[in-house]
Amino acid sequence: CDRFTFEGFLPVKKGRKTRLESLSTEIRTMVFYESPYRVAKTLLEMAAVFGEDRMASVSRELSKKFEETLRGGLKELGETLKDRNAKGEFVIVVEGINEKQA
């Protein structure tokens, strides 16, 4: 990745799907923040809009003692985290769409 866009937190309710749809053709890597209560749901929503196999990473507690990073497809990550009792601050990094597909 040589370019990225920082998106911060997605809207909690109104405008959430619209925001994701507007980012579906973004070629830059996208960086999001998410709460532990919504991280799995957000990943599954992203999988529905961006594609299940779009590569991503989910990191929690960056620069802290219990730092952890998971990598894989959006659906795989969402399924992995939905059964966990997630804690901490989360950063989701999603690859941009291939320029040839844009």
Side-chain angles (χ1 to χ4, degrees):
C1 156
D2 59 344
R3 297 189 66 204
F4 68 92
T5 178
F6 175 72
E7 294 296 325
F9 286 97
L10 289 169
V12 176
K13 294 182 181 174
K14 188 174 183 178
R16 188 175 179 89
K17 186 174 180 185
T18 303
R19 172 78 67 84
L20 287 173
E21 288 171 349
S22 73
L23 294 169
S24 65
T25 58
E26 176 62 60
I27 60 172
R28 296 173 292 181
T29 299
M30 297 167 279
V31 181
F32 302 88
Y33 285 156
E34 192 52 272
S35 82
Y37 309 107
R38 289 188 303 269
V39 68
K41 178 181 175 186
T42 297
L43 289 163
L44 294 172
E45 289 173 346
M46 288 177 170
V49 175
F50 298 156
E52 295 179 357
D53 296 327
R54 178 88 65 105
M55 295 304 293
S57 73
V58 180
S59 301
R60 71 177 189 94
E61 297 293 302
L62 289 175
S63 75
K64 296 181 182 168
K65 184 177 180 179
F66 298 106
E67 179 177 326
E68 178 183 21
T69 298
L70 302 172
R71 294 174 185 85
L74 286 168
K75 183 176 181 182
E76 173 189 3
L77 291 170
E79 294 292 332
T80 298
L81 289 173
K82 81 176 184 181
D83 296 328
R84 286 192 184 181
N85 185 15
K87 293 182 180 177
E89 303 162 347
F90 283 85
V91 176
I92 302 171
V93 179
V94 181
E95 78 174 335
I97 194 167
N98 185 319
E99 289 187 33
K100 295 173 187 173
Q101 296 172 330

